[in-house]
Amino acid sequence: MPILEVKDIRKSFGSTEVLKGISFSLEKGQVVSVIGSSGSGKTTLLRCLNFLETPDGGSIAVNGETIFDAADPAARREADIRRNRLHFGLVFQSFNLFPQYTALENVTLARKMLAKEEADYRDRKKELFAAIEDDARRLLARMGLADRMDNYPHQLSGGQQQRVAIARALALRPDILCFDEPTSALDPELTQEVLRVIRQLADDETTMVIVTHEMAFARDVSSRVIFMDGGVVVEEGDPHQVIDAPTQERTRRFLEGYSGKY
């Protein structure tokens, strides 16, 4: 059974149809990289998966359970959307850390807010918060940031900030971790820092959907690659086939601009 099944997702903004029926599935532990030109709908797809945008059509299932069906009016209830978001973690292009909080506080904030909704929160607050902080420390150490937990974002490099953002997404224990161009704001040296972390997550069989312009990375780390253009999936398949020997002319033309894909 796929951990994620996306069927015929559609999204329009006004008269502009950005997603024109996107379908794909993902098995537990797999990595799907989504490539394509700017404006092809890649980021909108991730935002729909994370319910930052509500799809106009289609359905999303996680672990065999349909968590969103555009035909069901209840799918747009705020309480359901908040719950469904917990299946996904999203790492943004521009880190989106809270500048007034330390790295550790950024990672623990969402978990602590969720803990307040538990029935026995008042009786177990100290215990719950201690467990959340222990987990956050472990995640930051895993990101190579054991000595940066008490630093504020402005005291961290871009690569370090992105690794804090990855730890923050992992702290919520999502079923699927999503990345939206995670290295686009970084210089080449810092890019390699972040790509090493993502590669390690892939080696640990973390289920991921990655929107990326790093073609060599997508080829080497992914289980499958999806090429999108104009709001549709033009080509999908084995990473080496799609990137090194694409079958569609539109994919070939896109990849001609990436000499680094080899």
Side-chain angles (χ1 to χ4, degrees), residues 118-183:
E118 296 189 19
D120 57 352
Y121 166 71
R122 292 184 181 278
D123 297 329
R124 298 182 57 227
K125 176 182 176 180
K126 187 174 180 180
E127 175 189 345
L128 290 169
F129 278 21
I132 289 168
E133 290 191 7
D134 285 347
D135 193 42
R137 291 179 188 280
R138 178 185 60 79
L139 285 169
L140 285 167
R142 184 180 175 191
M143 297 295 115
L145 296 169
D147 59 343
R148 294 287 185 267
M149 296 187 191
D150 296 324
N151 287 70
Y152 291 89
H154 75 273
Q155 298 172 315
L156 302 172
S157 71
Q160 289 169 337
Q161 290 185 61
Q162 192 62 295
R163 283 183 276 153
V164 173
I166 294 170
R168 177 179 61 184
L170 288 170
L172 291 172
R173 301 174 183 171
D175 294 295
I176 301 108
L177 186 59
C178 301
F179 291 88
D180 184 13
E181 299 279 13
T183 61

Side-chain angles (χ1 to χ4, degrees), residues 10-216:
R10 299 175 179 273
K11 181 64 181 178
S12 296
F13 297 98
S15 61
T16 303
E17 190 177 16
V18 178
L19 299 178
K20 302 176 182 178
I22 302 295
S23 299
F24 69 95
S25 62
L26 186 60
E27 300 292 331
K28 186 175 177 61
Q30 285 189 330
V31 178
V32 166
S33 287
V34 184
I35 62 173
S37 301
S38 178
S40 60
K42 309 184 302 297
T43 293
T44 299
L45 173 62
L46 282 192
R47 290 179 65 84
C48 285
L49 289 180
N50 286 269
F51 299 98
L52 297 175
E53 302 287 352
T54 303
D56 300 320
S59 64
I60 300 169
V62 176
N63 291 319
E65 176 188 356
T66 298
I67 64 168
F68 175 84
D69 185 342
D72 180 2
R76 289 168 171 77
R77 289 189 305 216
E78 184 59 33
D80 290 340
I81 289 172
R82 286 182 60 215
R83 184 177 64 252
N84 291 338
R85 280 191 186 127
L86 296 176
H87 291 289
F88 300 88
L90 178 59
V91 179
F92 298 88
Q93 296 180 25
S94 54
F95 323 140
N96 285 15
L97 300 179
F98 292 102
Q100 71 272 35
Y101 296 132
T102 65
L104 182 64
E105 289 168 338
N106 266 282
V107 175
T108 60
L109 183 62
R111 282 276 304 279
K112 286 182 176 180
M113 290 177 67
L114 287 172
K116 292 178 181 179
E117 298 178 5
E118 296 189 19
D120 57 352
Y121 166 71
R122 292 184 181 278
D123 297 329
R124 298 182 57 227
K125 176 182 176 180
K126 187 174 180 180
E127 175 189 345
L128 290 169
F129 278 21
I132 289 168
E133 290 191 7
D134 285 347
D135 193 42
R137 291 179 188 280
R138 178 185 60 79
L139 285 169
L140 285 167
R142 184 180 175 191
M143 297 295 115
L145 296 169
D147 59 343
R148 294 287 185 267
M149 296 187 191
D150 296 324
N151 287 70
Y152 291 89
H154 75 273
Q155 298 172 315
L156 302 172
S157 71
Q160 289 169 337
Q161 290 185 61
Q162 192 62 295
R163 283 183 276 153
V164 173
I166 294 170
R168 177 179 61 184
L170 288 170
L172 291 172
R173 301 174 183 171
D175 294 295
I176 301 108
L177 186 59
C178 301
F179 291 88
D180 184 13
E181 299 279 13
T183 61
S184 64
L186 304 176
D187 63 35
E189 184 177 357
L190 298 181
T191 290
Q192 292 309 310
E193 283 183 20
V194 173
L195 293 182
R196 279 195 294 271
V197 169
I198 300 174
R199 191 182 299 275
Q200 184 58 59
L201 291 173
D203 290 342
D204 293 341
E205 298 189 341
T206 304
T207 309
M208 293 184 281
V209 178
I210 306 173
V211 168
T212 183
H213 60 274
E214 301 285 345
M215 296 302 133

